[in-house]
PDB file of all heavy atoms in Angstrom:
ATOM      1  N   GLN A  16      19.439  28.279 -12.817  1.00 87.00           N
ATOM      2  CA  GLN A  16      18.815  29.528 -13.171  1.00 87.00           C
ATOM      3  C   GLN A  16      18.841  30.485 -11.998  1.00 87.00           C
ATOM      4  O   GLN A  16      17.963  30.437 -11.146  1.00 87.00           O
ATOM      5  CB  GLN A  16      17.371  29.351 -13.621  1.00 87.00           C
ATOM      6  CG  GLN A  16      17.227  28.404 -14.800  1.00 87.00           C
ATOM      7  CD  GLN A  16      15.806  28.061 -15.088  1.00 87.00           C
ATOM      8  OE1 GLN A  16      14.921  28.235 -14.255  1.00 87.00           O
ATOM      9  NE2 GLN A  16      15.547  27.541 -16.296  1.00 87.00           N
ATOM     10  N   GLY A  17      19.853  31.344 -11.876  1.00 88.00           N
ATOM     11  CA  GLY A  17      19.923  32.271 -10.824  1.00 88.00           C
ATOM     12  C   GLY A  17      20.740  31.784  -9.621  1.00 88.00           C
ATOM     13  O   GLY A  17      21.508  30.830  -9.687  1.00 88.00           O
ATOM     14  N   PRO A  18      20.504  32.484  -8.492  1.00 91.00           N
ATOM     15  CA  PRO A  18      21.234  32.138  -7.242  1.00 91.00           C
ATOM     16  C   PRO A  18      20.881  30.804  -6.651  1.00 91.00           C
ATOM     17  O   PRO A  18      19.857  30.238  -7.076  1.00 91.00           O
ATOM     18  CB  PRO A  18      20.877  33.317  -6.363  1.00 91.00           C
ATOM     19  CG  PRO A  18      19.526  33.813  -6.798  1.00 91.00           C
ATOM     20  CD  PRO A  18      19.528  33.546  -8.275  1.00 91.00           C
ATOM     21  N   PRO A  19      21.676  30.358  -5.691  1.00 93.00           N
ATOM     22  CA  PRO A  19      21.333  29.107  -5.008  1.00 93.00           C
ATOM     23  C   PRO A  19      20.000  29.232  -4.327  1.00 93.00           C
ATOM     24  O   PRO A  19      19.560  30.319  -3.960  1.00 93.00           O
ATOM     25  CB  PRO A  19      22.454  28.910  -3.959  1.00 93.00           C
ATOM     26  CG  PRO A  19      23.513  29.837  -4.397  1.00 93.00           C
ATOM     27  CD  PRO A  19      22.933  30.925  -5.202  1.00 93.00           C
ATOM     28  N   ARG A  20      19.304  28.089  -4.151  1.00 93.00           N
ATOM     29  CA  ARG A  20      17.967  28.055  -3.507  1.00 93.00           C
ATOM     30  C   ARG A  20      18.098  27.360  -2.163  1.00 93.00           C
ATOM     31  O   ARG A  20      18.853  26.396  -2.016  1.00 93.00           O
ATOM     32  CB  ARG A  20      17.005  27.342  -4.384  1.00 93.00           C
ATOM     33  CG  ARG A  20      16.769  28.050  -5.697  1.00 93.00           C
ATOM     34  CD  ARG A  20      15.824  27.287  -6.554  1.00 93.00           C
ATOM     35  NE  ARG A  20      15.495  28.043  -7.738  1.00 93.00           N
ATOM     36  CZ  ARG A  20      14.880  27.547  -8.795  1.00 93.00           C
ATOM     37  NH1 ARG A  20      14.527  26.295  -8.814  1.00 93.00           N
ATOM     38  NH2 ARG A  20      14.616  28.360  -9.836  1.00 93.00           N
ATOM     39  N   LYS A  21      17.274  27.856  -1.244  1.00 95.00           N
ATOM     40  CA  LYS A  21      17.256  27.267   0.116  1.00 95.00           C
ATOM     41  C   LYS A  21      16.161  26.204   0.096  1.00 95.00           C
ATOM     42  O   LYS A  21      14.962  26.477  -0.005  1.00 95.00           O
ATOM     43  CB  LYS A  21      16.888  28.401   1.110  1.00 95.00           C
ATOM     44  CG  LYS A  21      17.056  27.967   2.540  1.00 95.00           C
ATOM     45  CD  LYS A  21      16.558  29.020   3.520  1.00 95.00           C
ATOM     46  CE  LYS A  21      17.481  30.202   3.521  1.00 95.00           C
ATOM     47  NZ  LYS A  21      17.121  31.149   4.642  1.00 95.00           N
ATOM     48  N   TYR A  22      16.579  24.889   0.177  1.00 97.00           N
ATOM     49  CA  TYR A  22      15.649  23.779   0.228  1.00 97.00           C
ATOM     50  C   TYR A  22      15.371  23.359   1.656  1.00 97.00           C
ATOM     51  O   TYR A  22      16.294  23.110   2.430  1.00 97.00           O
ATOM     52  CB  TYR A  22      16.171  22.609  -0.582  1.00 97.00           C
ATOM     53  CG  TYR A  22      15.892  22.691  -2.065  1.00 97.00           C
ATOM     54  CD1 TYR A  22      16.642  23.525  -2.866  1.00 97.00           C
ATOM     55  CD2 TYR A  22      14.839  21.958  -2.591  1.00 97.00           C
ATOM     56  CE1 TYR A  22      16.401  23.630  -4.233  1.00 97.00           C
ATOM     57  CE2 TYR A  22      14.615  22.037  -3.974  1.00 97.00           C
ATOM     58  CZ  TYR A  22      15.380  22.862  -4.746  1.00 97.00           C
ATOM     59  OH  TYR A  22      15.141  22.975  -6.100  1.00 97.00           O
ATOM     60  N   TYR A  23      14.090  23.313   2.041  1.00 98.00           N
ATOM     61  CA  TYR A  23      13.691  22.926   3.387  1.00 98.00           C
ATOM     62  C   TYR A  23      13.331  21.429   3.392  1.00 98.00           C
ATOM     63  O   TYR A  23      12.812  20.897   2.451  1.00 98.00           O
ATOM     64  CB  TYR A  23      12.476  23.734   3.813  1.00 98.00           C
ATOM     65  CG  TYR A  23      12.768  25.178   4.019  1.00 98.00           C
ATOM     66  CD1 TYR A  23      12.671  26.058   2.927  1.00 98.00           C
ATOM     67  CD2 TYR A  23      13.132  25.690   5.233  1.00 98.00           C
ATOM     68  CE1 TYR A  23      12.927  27.383   3.081  1.00 98.00           C
ATOM     69  CE2 TYR A  23      13.437  27.017   5.396  1.00 98.00           C
ATOM     70  CZ  TYR A  23      13.296  27.879   4.344  1.00 98.00           C
ATOM     71  OH  TYR A  23      13.547  29.203   4.506  1.00 98.00           O
ATOM     72  N   ARG A  24      13.629  20.821   4.562  1.00 97.00           N
ATOM     73  CA  ARG A  24      13.156  19.425   4.755  1.00 97.00           C
ATOM     74  C   ARG A  24      12.930  19.232   6.237  1.00 97.00           C
ATOM     75  O   ARG A  24      13.386  20.005   7.066  1.00 97.00           O
ATOM     76  CB  ARG A  24      14.193  18.442   4.248  1.00 97.00           C
ATOM     77  CG  ARG A  24      15.501  18.429   4.990  1.00 97.00           C
ATOM     78  CD  ARG A  24      16.466  17.310   4.479  1.00 97.00           C
ATOM     79  NE  ARG A  24      17.728  17.472   5.084  1.00 97.00           N
ATOM     80  CZ  ARG A  24      18.049  17.031   6.306  1.00 97.00           C
ATOM     81  NH1 ARG A  24      17.151  16.427   7.077  1.00 97.00           N
ATOM     82  NH2 ARG A  24      19.273  17.203   6.795  1.00 97.00           N
ATOM     83  N   LEU A  25      12.162  18.198   6.500  1.00 98.00           N
ATOM     84  CA  LEU A  25      11.773  17.915   7.916  1.00 98.00           C
ATOM     85  C   LEU A  25      12.949  17.269   8.637  1.00 98.00           C
ATOM     86  O   LEU A  25      13.689  16.517   8.067  1.00 98.00           O
ATOM     87  CB  LEU A  25      10.588  16.934   7.989  1.00 98.00           C
ATOM     88  CG  LEU A  25       9.238  17.447   7.436  1.00 98.00           C
ATOM     89  CD1 LEU A  25       8.209  16.310   7.671  1.00 98.00           C
ATOM     90  CD2 LEU A  25       8.795  18.650   8.162  1.00 98.00           C
ATOM     91  N   THR A  26      13.070  17.598   9.890  1.00 98.00           N
ATOM     92  CA  THR A  26      14.011  16.907  10.801  1.00 98.00           C
ATOM     93  C   THR A  26      13.258  15.698  11.386  1.00 98.00           C
ATOM     94  O   THR A  26      12.150  15.494  11.183  1.00 98.00           O
ATOM     95  CB  THR A  26      14.418  17.832  11.962  1.00 98.00           C
ATOM     96  OG1 THR A  26      13.218  18.173  12.712  1.00 98.00           O
ATOM     97  CG2 THR A  26      15.109  19.089  11.450  1.00 98.00           C
ATOM     98  N   ARG A  27      13.996  14.910  12.148  1.00 98.00           N
ATOM     99  CA  ARG A  27      13.343  13.749  12.842  1.00 98.00           C
ATOM    100  C   ARG A  27      12.251  14.282  13.786  1.00 98.00           C
ATOM    101  O   ARG A  27      11.173  13.732  13.914  1.00 98.00           O
ATOM    102  CB  ARG A  27      14.335  12.963  13.647  1.00 98.00           C
ATOM    103  CG  ARG A  27      15.193  12.097  12.766  1.00 98.00           C
ATOM    104  CD  ARG A  27      16.086  11.208  13.540  1.00 98.00           C
ATOM    105  NE  ARG A  27      16.961  10.449  12.664  1.00 98.00           N
ATOM    106  CZ  ARG A  27      18.062   9.853  13.031  1.00 98.00           C
ATOM    107  NH1 ARG A  27      18.431   9.899  14.315  1.00 98.00           N
ATOM    108  NH2 ARG A  27      18.790   9.195  12.185  1.00 98.00           N
ATOM    109  N   GLN A  28      12.559  15.376  14.467  1.00 98.00           N
ATOM    110  CA  GLN A  28      11.597  16.001  15.348  1.00 98.00           C
ATOM    111  C   GLN A  28      10.378  16.491  14.528  1.00 98.00           C
ATOM    112  O   GLN A  28       9.275  16.345  14.982  1.00 98.00           O
ATOM    113  CB  GLN A  28      12.228  17.202  16.095  1.00 98.00           C
ATOM    114  CG  GLN A  28      11.359  17.840  17.084  1.00 98.00           C
ATOM    115  CD  GLN A  28      12.105  18.994  17.790  1.00 98.00           C
ATOM    116  OE1 GLN A  28      13.274  19.184  17.704  1.00 98.00           O
ATOM    117  NE2 GLN A  28      11.316  19.803  18.500  1.00 98.00           N
ATOM    118  N   GLY A  29      10.660  17.003  13.353  1.00 98.00           N
ATOM    119  CA  GLY A  29       9.548  17.473  12.475  1.00 98.00           C
ATOM    120  C   GLY A  29       8.679  16.295  12.030  1.00 98.00           C
ATOM    121  O   GLY A  29       7.470  16.406  11.951  1.00 98.00           O
ATOM    122  N   GLU A  30       9.335  15.170  11.717  1.00 98.00           N
ATOM    123  CA  GLU A  30       8.541  13.944  11.336  1.00 98.00           C
ATOM    124  C   GLU A  30       7.655  13.499  12.477  1.00 98.00           C
ATOM    125  O   GLU A  30       6.505  13.162  12.279  1.00 98.00           O
ATOM    126  CB  GLU A  30       9.493  12.838  10.882  1.00 98.00           C
ATOM    127  CG  GLU A  30      10.192  13.100   9.607  1.00 98.00           C
ATOM    128  CD  GLU A  30       9.377  12.900   8.385  1.00 98.00           C
ATOM    129  OE1 GLU A  30       8.224  12.467   8.455  1.00 98.00           O
ATOM    130  OE2 GLU A  30       9.919  13.253   7.287  1.00 98.00           O
ATOM    131  N   ALA A  31       8.210  13.478  13.698  1.00 97.00           N
ATOM    132  CA  ALA A  31       7.411  13.101  14.863  1.00 97.00           C
ATOM    133  C   ALA A  31       6.312  14.057  15.108  1.00 97.00           C
ATOM    134  O   ALA A  31       5.159  13.644  15.389  1.00 97.00           O
ATOM    135  CB  ALA A  31       8.335  12.985  16.113  1.00 97.00           C
ATOM    136  N   PHE A  32       6.584  15.339  15.002  1.00 97.00           N
ATOM    137  CA  PHE A  32       5.537  16.380  15.188  1.00 97.00           C
ATOM    138  C   PHE A  32       4.408  16.201  14.139  1.00 97.00           C
ATOM    139  O   PHE A  32       3.222  16.284  14.489  1.00 97.00           O
ATOM    140  CB  PHE A  32       6.154  17.759  15.095  1.00 97.00           C
ATOM    141  CG  PHE A  32       5.221  18.860  15.359  1.00 97.00           C
ATOM    142  CD1 PHE A  32       4.863  19.144  16.689  1.00 97.00           C
ATOM    143  CD2 PHE A  32       4.722  19.647  14.369  1.00 97.00           C
ATOM    144  CE1 PHE A  32       3.999  20.181  16.970  1.00 97.00           C
ATOM    145  CE2 PHE A  32       3.867  20.702  14.634  1.00 97.00           C
ATOM    146  CZ  PHE A  32       3.506  20.991  15.940  1.00 97.00           C
ATOM    147  N   LEU A  33       4.809  15.927  12.909  1.00 97.00           N
ATOM    148  CA  LEU A  33       3.847  15.693  11.841  1.00 97.00           C
ATOM    149  C   LEU A  33       2.946  14.506  12.155  1.00 97.00           C
ATOM    150  O   LEU A  33       1.748  14.541  11.928  1.00 97.00           O
ATOM    151  CB  LEU A  33       4.553  15.558  10.495  1.00 97.00           C
ATOM    152  CG  LEU A  33       3.612  15.236   9.301  1.00 97.00           C
ATOM    153  CD1 LEU A  33       2.581  16.316   9.106  1.00 97.00           C
ATOM    154  CD2 LEU A  33       4.464  15.082   8.055  1.00 97.00           C
ATOM    155  N   GLY A  34       3.532  13.458  12.730  1.00 96.00           N
ATOM    156  CA  GLY A  34       2.776  12.275  13.103  1.00 96.00           C
ATOM    157  C   GLY A  34       1.696  12.634  14.159  1.00 96.00           C
ATOM    158  O   GLY A  34       0.577  12.155  14.098  1.00 96.00           O
ATOM    159  N   GLU A  35       2.092  13.477  15.122  1.00 96.00           N
ATOM    160  CA  GLU A  35       1.100  13.905  16.131  1.00 96.00           C
ATOM    161  C   GLU A  35       0.034  14.764  15.500  1.00 96.00           C
ATOM    162  O   GLU A  35      -1.140  14.596  15.834  1.00 96.00           O
ATOM    163  CB  GLU A  35       1.829  14.711  17.211  1.00 96.00           C
ATOM    164  CG  GLU A  35       2.802  13.883  18.080  1.00 96.00           C
ATOM    165  CD  GLU A  35       3.520  14.733  19.100  1.00 96.00           C
ATOM    166  OE1 GLU A  35       2.921  15.739  19.564  1.00 96.00           O
ATOM    167  OE2 GLU A  35       4.653  14.384  19.444  1.00 96.00           O
ATOM    168  N   LEU A  36       0.428  15.630  14.576  1.00 95.00           N
ATOM    169  CA  LEU A  36      -0.596  16.469  13.910  1.00 95.00           C
ATOM    170  C   LEU A  36      -1.552  15.570  13.073  1.00 95.00           C
ATOM    171  O   LEU A  36      -2.751  15.869  12.999  1.00 95.00           O
ATOM    172  CB  LEU A  36       0.071  17.502  12.938  1.00 95.00           C
ATOM    173  CG  LEU A  36       0.700  18.698  13.591  1.00 95.00           C
ATOM    174  CD1 LEU A  36       1.321  19.586  12.522  1.00 95.00           C
ATOM    175  CD2 LEU A  36      -0.287  19.500  14.420  1.00 95.00           C
ATOM    176  N   GLU A  37      -1.052  14.551  12.457  1.00 96.00           N
ATOM    177  CA  GLU A  37      -1.827  13.654  11.651  1.00 96.00           C
ATOM    178  C   GLU A  37      -2.913  12.991  12.563  1.00 96.00           C
ATOM    179  O   GLU A  37      -4.085  12.906  12.153  1.00 96.00           O
ATOM    180  CB  GLU A  37      -0.964  12.577  10.970  1.00 96.00           C
ATOM    181  CG  GLU A  37      -1.786  11.587  10.153  1.00 96.00           C
ATOM    182  CD  GLU A  37      -2.523  12.164   8.945  1.00 96.00           C
ATOM    183  OE1 GLU A  37      -2.106  13.274   8.476  1.00 96.00           O
ATOM    184  OE2 GLU A  37      -3.483  11.559   8.502  1.00 96.00           O
ATOM    185  N   CYS A  38      -2.514  12.564  13.697  1.00 95.00           N
ATOM    186  CA  CYS A  38      -3.481  11.962  14.668  1.00 95.00           C
ATOM    187  C   CYS A  38      -4.548  12.982  15.024  1.00 95.00           C
ATOM    188  O   CYS A  38      -5.732  12.669  15.088  1.00 95.00           O
ATOM    189  CB  CYS A  38      -2.781  11.383  15.898  1.00 95.00           C
ATOM    190  SG  CYS A  38      -1.756   9.959  15.593  1.00 95.00           S
ATOM    191  N   SER A  39      -4.112  14.200  15.365  1.00 94.00           N
ATOM    192  CA  SER A  39      -5.026  15.215  15.752  1.00 94.00           C
ATOM    193  C   SER A  39      -5.993  15.582  14.629  1.00 94.00           C
ATOM    194  O   SER A  39      -7.154  15.839  14.803  1.00 94.00           O
ATOM    195  CB  SER A  39      -4.277  16.508  16.189  1.00 94.00           C
ATOM    196  OG  SER A  39      -3.515  16.240  17.303  1.00 94.00           O
ATOM    197  N   TRP A  40      -5.445  15.604  13.427  1.00 93.00           N
ATOM    198  CA  TRP A  40      -6.255  15.953  12.237  1.00 93.00           C
ATOM    199  C   TRP A  40      -7.335  14.855  12.041  1.00 93.00           C
ATOM    200  O   TRP A  40      -8.488  15.198  11.782  1.00 93.00           O
ATOM    201  CB  TRP A  40      -5.412  16.050  10.983  1.00 93.00           C
ATOM    202  CG  TRP A  40      -6.215  16.282   9.703  1.00 93.00           C
ATOM    203  CD1 TRP A  40      -6.479  15.382   8.773  1.00 93.00           C
ATOM    204  CD2 TRP A  40      -6.898  17.474   9.370  1.00 93.00           C
ATOM    205  NE1 TRP A  40      -7.255  15.942   7.815  1.00 93.00           N
ATOM    206  CE2 TRP A  40      -7.555  17.224   8.168  1.00 93.00           C
ATOM    207  CE3 TRP A  40      -7.059  18.719   9.985  1.00 93.00           C
ATOM    208  CZ2 TRP A  40      -8.349  18.157   7.523  1.00 93.00           C
ATOM    209  CZ3 TRP A  40      -7.852  19.668   9.347  1.00 93.00           C
ATOM    210  CH2 TRP A  40      -8.478  19.426   8.111  1.00 93.00           C
ATOM    211  N   GLN A  41      -6.943  13.625  12.145  1.00 95.00           N
ATOM    212  CA  GLN A  41      -7.917  12.531  11.944  1.00 95.00           C
ATOM    213  C   GLN A  41      -9.012  12.582  13.047  1.00 95.00           C
ATOM    214  O   GLN A  41     -10.160  12.331  12.777  1.00 95.00           O
ATOM    215  CB  GLN A  41      -7.238  11.159  11.993  1.00 95.00           C
ATOM    216  CG  GLN A  41      -6.412  10.862  10.741  1.00 95.00           C
ATOM    217  CD  GLN A  41      -7.246  11.076   9.447  1.00 95.00           C
ATOM    218  OE1 GLN A  41      -8.354  10.644   9.332  1.00 95.00           O
ATOM    219  NE2 GLN A  41      -6.640  11.759   8.477  1.00 95.00           N
ATOM    220  N   GLU A  42      -8.648  12.900  14.277  1.00 94.00           N
ATOM    221  CA  GLU A  42      -9.622  13.031  15.367  1.00 94.00           C
ATOM    222  C   GLU A  42     -10.570  14.190  15.038  1.00 94.00           C
ATOM    223  O   GLU A  42     -11.793  14.031  15.265  1.00 94.00           O
ATOM    224  CB  GLU A  42      -8.959  13.300  16.661  1.00 94.00           C
ATOM    225  CG  GLU A  42      -8.221  12.134  17.246  1.00 94.00           C
ATOM    226  CD  GLU A  42      -7.381  12.441  18.485  1.00 94.00           C
ATOM    227  OE1 GLU A  42      -7.419  13.603  18.962  1.00 94.00           O
ATOM    228  OE2 GLU A  42      -6.696  11.552  19.001  1.00 94.00           O
ATOM    229  N   LEU A  43     -10.025  15.264  14.567  1.00 91.00           N
ATOM    230  CA  LEU A  43     -10.867  16.459  14.217  1.00 91.00           C
ATOM    231  C   LEU A  43     -11.840  16.126  13.076  1.00 91.00           C
ATOM    232  O   LEU A  43     -13.025  16.450  13.127  1.00 91.00           O
ATOM    233  CB  LEU A  43      -9.985  17.647  13.834  1.00 91.00           C
ATOM    234  CG  LEU A  43     -10.675  18.925  13.512  1.00 91.00           C
ATOM    235  CD1 LEU A  43     -11.504  19.386  14.682  1.00 91.00           C
ATOM    236  CD2 LEU A  43      -9.650  20.007  13.133  1.00 91.00           C
ATOM    237  N   VAL A  44     -11.348  15.462  12.018  1.00 91.00           N
ATOM    238  CA  VAL A  44     -12.176  15.063  10.931  1.00 91.00           C
ATOM    239  C   VAL A  44     -13.282  14.143  11.370  1.00 91.00           C
ATOM    240  O   VAL A  44     -14.457  14.307  11.033  1.00 91.00           O
ATOM    241  CB  VAL A  44     -11.337  14.422   9.803  1.00 91.00           C
ATOM    242  CG1 VAL A  44     -12.229  13.730   8.776  1.00 91.00           C
ATOM    243  CG2 VAL A  44     -10.419  15.442   9.104  1.00 91.00           C
ATOM    244  N   ASP A  45     -12.928  13.161  12.219  1.00 92.00           N
ATOM    245  CA  ASP A  45     -13.927  12.222  12.764  1.00 92.00           C
ATOM    246  C   ASP A  45     -14.999  12.963  13.557  1.00 92.00           C
ATOM    247  O   ASP A  45     -16.192  12.687  13.435  1.00 92.00           O
ATOM    248  CB  ASP A  45     -13.291  11.158  13.570  1.00 92.00           C
ATOM    249  CG  ASP A  45     -12.437  10.225  12.777  1.00 92.00           C
ATOM    250  OD1 ASP A  45     -12.606  10.172  11.561  1.00 92.00           O
ATOM    251  OD2 ASP A  45     -11.620   9.461  13.412  1.00 92.00           O
ATOM    252  N   THR A  46     -14.516  13.901  14.368  1.00 92.00           N
ATOM    253  CA  THR A  46     -15.533  14.662  15.223  1.00 92.00           C
ATOM    254  C   THR A  46     -16.455  15.494  14.357  1.00 92.00           C
ATOM    255  O   THR A  46     -17.697  15.457  14.548  1.00 92.00           O
ATOM    256  CB  THR A  46     -14.750  15.636  16.141  1.00 92.00           C
ATOM    257  OG1 THR A  46     -13.905  14.842  16.992  1.00 92.00           O
ATOM    258  CG2 THR A  46     -15.683  16.439  16.953  1.00 92.00           C
ATOM    259  N   VAL A  47     -15.943  16.205  13.386  1.00 88.00           N
ATOM    260  CA  VAL A  47     -16.746  17.019  12.485  1.00 88.00           C
ATOM    261  C   VAL A  47     -17.747  16.123  11.702  1.00 88.00           C
ATOM    262  O   VAL A  47     -18.902  16.434  11.576  1.00 88.00           O
ATOM    263  CB  VAL A  47     -15.921  17.940  11.586  1.00 88.00           C
ATOM    264  CG1 VAL A  47     -16.769  18.610  10.500  1.00 88.00           C
ATOM    265  CG2 VAL A  47     -15.126  18.909  12.389  1.00 88.00           C
ATOM    266  N   ASN A  48     -17.236  14.990  11.225  1.00 88.00           N
ATOM    267  CA  ASN A  48     -18.085  14.114  10.495  1.00 88.00           C
ATOM    268  C   ASN A  48     -19.229  13.531  11.366  1.00 88.00           C
ATOM    269  O   ASN A  48     -20.387  13.448  10.925  1.00 88.00           O
ATOM    270  CB  ASN A  48     -17.336  12.944   9.875  1.00 88.00           C
ATOM    271  CG  ASN A  48     -16.544  13.382   8.673  1.00 88.00           C
ATOM    272  OD1 ASN A  48     -16.791  14.364   8.008  1.00 88.00           O
ATOM    273  ND2 ASN A  48     -15.464  12.609   8.354  1.00 88.00           N
TER     274      ASN A  48
END
């Protein structure tokens, strides 16, 4: 339906960065709790 679409995905660097963010998020949640 229509023109081609630009699909985004994570790179290996993006996966590693997300892992770091996950750790930071859990620390933040624990602190707030």
Side-chain angles (χ1 to χ4, degrees):
Q16 301 172 342
R20 295 178 174 168
K21 191 185 288 188
Y22 276 77
Y23 293 88
R24 65 176 173 80
L25 293 181
T26 61
R27 285 186 184 163
Q28 183 180 347
E30 292 285 352
F32 185 76
L33 177 59
E35 291 177 33
L36 284 180
E37 179 65 23
C38 290
S39 296
W40 175 253
Q41 288 307 316
E42 289 172 3
L43 182 60
V44 167
D45 290 344
T46 299
V47 171
N48 285 339

